[in-house]
Amino acid sequence: NNSRKTLKVRLETSPFTLSIDQPVINADGLVGIVIREYAPYADIRIITDPGSGVDLVVERTRDSASLQCKREMDHICQAMRLKWNAQIQPGDIVLSSGLDTRYPEGYRVGRITHVLPQAGQLHRTANITPSVDFDRQEEVLILSKRSIP
């Protein structure tokens, strides 16, 4: 249900030993975190939910940022708080940095599509297209907290 920015997934392994805030990925990248478990299902808050708060790193330049998505703009996100002199460009890949402690480091979050001009500002902003197609999910992997370094 993307209007609420959650996905309902059916769990296919047992025993179901989930906990809140376990990260969820798929082959394309970071999907979100577990927010509720009711076996054999779980609700996942996807990263485009305004409350997700994923910390980012630009793969090519290693500049840090934070993901912000607005509820009224379906799956339109921005990298916020980039350094004013960050040498980012359209096409750059953004990854989870792991600094927020909820999401593990190194998973693809999306691609920069447009760098917004910010004359006279301390920070830059860039539009991001998420790497995961949230409208076409078939399989996800819920990571164990123990498996995250």
Side-chain angles (χ1 to χ4, degrees):
N1 180 346
N2 291 329
S3 64
R4 288 193 326 250
K5 306 293 186 191
T6 61
L7 293 173
K8 179 179 181 178
V9 297
R10 179 172 168 69
L11 306 170
E12 299 212 354
T13 60
S14 74
F16 305 112
T17 55
L18 292 182
S19 60
I20 303 303
D21 286 345
Q22 279 184 261
V24 181
I25 62 170
N26 73 5
D28 296 320
L30 190 61
V31 174
I33 58 169
V34 174
I35 58 170
R36 184 174 152 215
E37 184 258 334
Y38 45 105
Y41 298 98
D43 286 338
I44 310 302
R45 176 189 294 144
I46 61 177
I47 62 169
T48 58
D49 182 276
S52 286
V54 183
D55 283 337
L56 307 173
V57 63
V58 179
E59 185 177 48
R60 183 179 60 82
T61 65
R62 306 312 291 171
D63 287 300
S64 61
S66 137
L67 187 70
Q68 182 177 35
C69 303
K70 296 185 175 22
R71 193 170 298 282
E72 64 273 7
M73 300 185 329
D74 196 34
H75 307 313
I76 305 292
C77 300
Q78 293 183 321
M80 306 294 290
R81 296 194 310 268
L82 285 154
K83 292 185 298 187
W84 67 271
N85 62 349
Q87 299 298 310
I88 58 170
Q89 59 193 24
D92 279 345
I93 305 232
V94 290
L95 309 171
S96 54
S97 71
L99 295 176
D100 51 47
T101 69
R102 284 195 296 180
Y103 300 98
E105 177 182 2
Y107 287 93
R108 186 179 283 222
V109 172
R111 184 178 298 273
I112 292 176
T113 56
H114 181 73
V115 179
L116 303 171
Q118 299 264 329
Q121 301 293 318
L122 293 176
H123 296 98
R124 298 182 81 179
T125 301
N127 290 345
I128 295 176
T129 297
S131 57
V132 171
D133 183 350
F134 296 100
D135 296 323
R136 293 183 181 7
Q137 288 298 302
E138 289 190 30
E139 292 185 353
V140 296
L141 177 65
I142 299 173
L143 300 178
S144 164
K145 291 281 190 177
R146 291 179 305 237
S147 68
I148 302 169

